[in-house]
Amino acid sequence: MADPNSALGSVEVNKFTLQYSCFPNVFALGNCINVLASKTGATIRTQAHVVVANLLSVVEGKKKSDRKI
Ligand SMILES: Cc1cc2nc3c(=O)[nH]c(=O)nc-3n(C[C@H](O)[C@H](O)[C@H](O)COP(=O)(O)OP(=O)(O)OC[C@H]3O[C@@H](n4cnc5c(N)ncnc54)[C@H](O)[C@@H]3O)c2cc1C
């Protein structure tokens, strides 16, 4: 899952939807992702809304994950 371009081995996600690039039903948030954002709990609180909405969208069978940061 690690982004090969990341020296830290961060998880490669779409920076808007937080969806993992290889598997549409996988999302990541927090300090481990390759998104250029501050590594804080405050950032994670914002990301959590996006991940929950988009994960539910995938679970409910919708093709797209539209919620964005
Ligand atoms: C000293 C300090 C003060 C901070 N103060 C603030 C603050 O005031 N406000 C704020 O918003 N943010 C603050 N932060 C940042 C905030 O704590 C982090 O952004 C947040 O905890 C990241 O959460 P996370 O779940 O993404 O990662 P983490 O909290 O780092 O959780 C990752 C977990 O994965 C585990 N893990 C790692 N590798 C593996 C592995 N290979 N297998 C299994 N488990 C593994 C780790 O043990 C850890 O439990 C602070 C950070 C530090 C260090």
Side-chain angles (χ1 to χ4, degrees), residues 1-66:
M1 293 181 79
D3 178 354
N5 297 315
S6 163
L8 298 172
S10 303
V11 179
E12 187 178 1
V13 294
N14 177 295
K15 67 179 176 181
F16 299 112
T17 63
L18 305 180
Q19 194 170 30
Y20 179 47
S21 54
C22 296
F23 301 105
N25 60 339
V26 174
F27 293 81
L29 73 167
N31 286 13
C32 67
I33 61 175
N34 68 341
V35 172
L36 196 59
S38 58
K39 305 292 187 194
T40 66
T43 300
I44 293 168
R45 276 192 289 278
T46 306
Q47 295 170 343
H49 295 291
V50 174
V51 167
V52 168
N54 289 341
L55 192 54
L56 286 174
S57 177
V58 170
V59 168
E60 289 164 1
K62 295 170 191 156
K63 289 227 164 83
K64 289 184 77 180
S65 308
D66 284 335

